[in-house]
Amino acid sequence: SKRPGWGESMLVLPPATTQRKTLMDSTTATAELGWMVHPPSGWEEVSGYDENMNTIRTYQVCNVFESSQNNWLRTKFIRRRGAHRIHVEMKFSVRDCSSIPSVPGSCKETFNLYYYEADFDSATKTFPNWMENPWVKVDTIAADESFSQVDLGGRVMKINTEVRSFGPVSRSGFYLAFQDYGGCMSLIAVRVFYRKCPRIIQNGAIFQETLSGAESTSLVAARGSCIANAEEVDVPIKLYCNGDGEWLVPIGRCMCKAGFEAVENGTVCRGCPSGTFKANQGDEACTHCPINSRTTSEGATNCVCRNGYYRADLDPLDMPCTTIPSAPQAVISSVNETSLMLEWTPPRDSGGREDLVYNIICKSCGSGRGACTRCGDNVQYAPRQLGLTEPRIYISDLLAHTQYTFEIQAVNGVTDQSPFSPQFASVNITTNQAAPSAVSIMHQVSRTVDSITLSWSQPDQPNGVILDYELQYYEKQSQ
């Protein structure tokens, strides 16, 4: 046993949680008790009645007119059954000495309670000796005001009830002894018991039966084990059993793990029913699956998205599953020579998300070059080509007199999760013509006295349809 450290909660749980385990009860005897008396002229076993008129065996003594009384009554051997502290409940009646005519001054209204430990039933008529040592005195028992007035077979008696305890006890068993030294009394009932804290489920943990400690102030620590499908939050979880067999408020706790919720007043962790989930350990109840998701079994820690719906990596598990957006709408293009302004309106369906952005795909479709190809790195985009948050873009450094196709993609946080390509709107434009680049190479084909034949290749960048070439020549001045 131990005492808890400072700062630990020591509130007592409801007293109904305490348990008494009876080791001996004289009222249940169906025959003579057969306890040992010394001397034979002292205590006497007689039949009597309890308050319900049931026959019981009692012991009486009333040698008040004889001096130097020392009357002992010893129980049979009582096994302790692992108990560390023993409680004795005594019901008795003591006659007031003042009510006895001509009583000598040696009359007493108290008696003594003793115990003696042994490893086996070894007592005899003379052993242990009828004295305080080897017997251990528990207390002097006196009648108090808390008696009940009971009619026992036509005789009214004042019944007192007293409880005493002793410990620690460590041997196999013990005897009790009651010493009278000059009283007139009746020992009506003796019940011997020990206290223990019962099996209990508290704070999500199971605590097994625990015997109370050897001292009335003892605190016995019991280690708890989490109920099924619960996990410790604070380690170790423990509960203290006090000397009265009462549990104190637990230190630490267990909580239902993910996929399970506490029911039946916190004594059971139940798997989340179909259609509900619980993502983390804790006291929270299971919650219904968000929109566009479902569970495939009980005890779910998350809900699976339905076909065509997805969950981004950073989406919380309680967020509805979402899908990809539809295509942008109403694209407007404005060409200015080799630059372009594109504007559009957002998609009709954002997919249920707020992280919608746009990507621009540029394709050059020059005549005579077959299929369209992606534009080169020379094309400039303002503010940027990918991840646009506004529905507009300015594109420059395009080639003159060239056909382009621009795809405006709508994407969101789950576009990458979808096996399908993003939805897009496309627009075809042709840039304006511009001055062609210079003829880079010219060849002389032939010449005569008064003529010359020349040839040249088309400019690298015609920038439109070349209608004609202008040829200029100059006479060479003679030296």
Side-chain angles (χ1 to χ4, degrees):
S1 63
K2 66 182 285 292
R3 294 177 180 273
W6 291 106
E8 295 180 339
S9 178
M10 285 294 107
L11 297 177
V12 179
L13 293 177
T17 60
T18 186
Q19 276 190 353
R20 294 182 176 187
K21 288 296 182 180
T22 299
L23 298 175
M24 188 274 288
D25 187 348
S26 66
T27 63
T28 61
T30 57
E32 290 186 358
L33 292 172
W35 294 356
M36 184 64 65
V37 297
H38 175 81
S41 60
W43 292 91
E44 179 185 7
E45 183 174 358
V46 297
S47 291
Y49 300 95
D50 63 12
E51 54 266 38
N52 298 317
M53 296 308 296
N54 296 315
T55 302
I56 57 174
R57 305 295 293 179
T58 68
Y59 278 90
Q60 297 179 357
V61 64
C62 192
N63 297 339
V64 293
F65 291 101
E66 300 175 25
S67 61
S68 303
Q69 291 296 297
N70 185 20
N71 301 309
W72 288 72
L73 172 64
R74 185 185 71 208
T75 67
K76 292 184 177 180
F77 187 66
I78 304 171
R79 298 196 177 276
R80 73 178 177 94
R81 300 180 192 171
H84 301 294
R85 187 166 191 83
I86 305 300
H87 300 260
V88 182
E89 180 186 78
M90 298 158 286
K91 291 186 176 182
F92 60 96
S93 177
V94 178
R95 188 170 178 182
D96 293 341
C97 289
S98 60
S99 69
I100 304 174
S102 305
V103 69
S106 60
C107 178
K108 298 290 189 294
E109 297 178 357
T110 60
F111 63 95
N112 291 329
L113 173 65
Y114 294 89
Y115 75 95
Y116 177 82
E117 285 192 84
D119 286 325
F120 57 94
D121 188 2
S122 58
T124 66
K125 289 184 178 181
T126 58
F127 177 83
N129 293 332
W130 302 99
M131 60 181 62
E132 183 163 335
N133 188 4
W135 289 89
V136 179
K137 184 175 180 179
V138 178
D139 199 4
T140 296
I141 311 300
D144 57 24
E145 298 301 321
S146 60
F147 59 81
S148 58
Q149 194 159 295
V150 180
D151 185 346
L152 296 181
R155 185 161 59 98
V156 175
M157 298 182 64
K158 295 178 179 179
I159 305 298
N160 284 269
T161 301
E162 294 288 336
V163 179
R164 297 292 186 273
S165 63
F166 57 89
V169 288
S170 57
R171 304 180 77 171
S172 296
F174 56 92
Y175 302 90
L176 295 179
F178 306 90
Q179 181 195 26
D180 160 62
Y181 46 98
C184 188
M185 67 189 70
S186 176
L187 188 58
I188 298 166
V190 177
R191 188 163 77 96
V192 182
F193 62 93
Y194 63 91
R195 297 182 188 272
K196 66 177 182 178
C197 294
R199 182 183 184 275
I200 190 176
I201 298 178
Q202 191 74 18
N203 275 27
I206 302 170
F207 298 90
Q208 301 298 339
E209 284 187 350
T210 302
L211 295 177
S212 61
E215 304 294 339
S216 60
T217 57
S218 296
L219 294 175
V220 179
R223 182 78 167 85
S225 58
C226 292
I227 61 176
N229 300 307
E231 296 171 341
E232 285 186 333
V233 178
D234 300 316
V235 179
I237 181 167
K238 55 187 174 180
L239 196 57
Y240 288 99
C241 180
N242 71 10
D244 292 326
E246 297 168 331
W247 288 115
L248 305 180
V249 171
I251 298 167
R253 63 184 317 188
C254 298
M255 289 185 178
C256 295
K257 62 185 183 182
F260 293 83
E261 63 181 349
V263 294
E264 298 182 24
N265 201 27
T267 61
V268 174
C269 286
R270 179 186 66 183
C272 292
S274 179
T276 66
F277 79 105
K278 182 178 153 197
N280 301 301
Q281 178 191 19
D283 289 331
E284 300 80 15
C286 300
T287 55
H288 288 286
C289 286
I291 298 172
N292 302 320
S293 67
R294 58 185 175 87
T295 59
T296 56
S297 63
E298 294 185 351
T301 58
N302 66 291
C303 298
V304 180
C305 293
R306 298 185 183 276
N307 290 339
Y309 291 87
Y310 314 94
R311 183 176 285 122
D313 294 338
L314 297 180
D315 285 352
L317 294 176
D318 58 355
M319 175 178 167
C321 292
T322 54
T323 189
I324 61 175
S326 57
Q329 305 177 91
V331 180
I332 300 174
S333 62
S334 177
V335 179
N336 182 13
E337 295 185 354
T338 57
S339 62
L340 170 69
M341 173 66 78
L342 291 177
E343 295 182 283
W344 58 92
T345 58
R348 182 178 292 105
D349 182 5
S350 67
R353 303 184 64 87
E354 297 180 356
D355 53 2
L356 177 69
V357 295
Y358 306 96
N359 296 333
I360 306 300
I361 306 300
C362 173
K363 295 179 180 180
S364 173
C365 306
S367 58
R369 290 190 286 173
C372 299
T373 58
R374 287 289 185 104
C375 297
D377 294 338
N378 58 300
V379 178
Q380 302 298 311
Y381 304 87
R384 55 190 171 275
Q385 182 181 6
L386 305 178
L388 293 166
T389 56
E390 298 295 330
R392 66 185 63 88
I393 189 171
Y394 179 72
I395 305 169
S396 59
D397 291 351
L398 298 172
L399 297 177
H401 195 63
T402 302
Q403 182 178 337
Y404 289 91
T405 295
F406 290 93
E407 296 178 359
I408 306 167
Q409 297 178 341
V411 299
N412 61 15
V414 296
T415 296
D416 292 341
Q417 309 279 345
S418 171
F420 305 107
S421 299
Q423 298 289 308
F424 64 88
S426 63
V427 62
N428 298 320
I429 65 100
T430 301
T431 53
N432 301 137
Q433 297 189 80
S437 60
V439 173
S440 56
I441 300 176
M442 183 181 293
H443 299 282
Q444 176 182 302
V445 178
S446 62
R447 68 177 178 175
T448 63
V449 175
D450 57 358
S451 67
I452 188 170
T453 301
L454 302 173
S455 69
W456 58 88
S457 60
Q458 183 172 298
D460 293 336
Q461 297 179 9
N463 293 335
V465 178
I466 298 178
L467 301 177
D468 51 38
Y469 292 92
E470 182 178 298
L471 185 65
Q472 294 181 347
Y473 68 95
Y474 305 91
E475 287 189 12
K476 195 174 183 179
Q477 294 182 355
S478 55
Q479 296 290 328

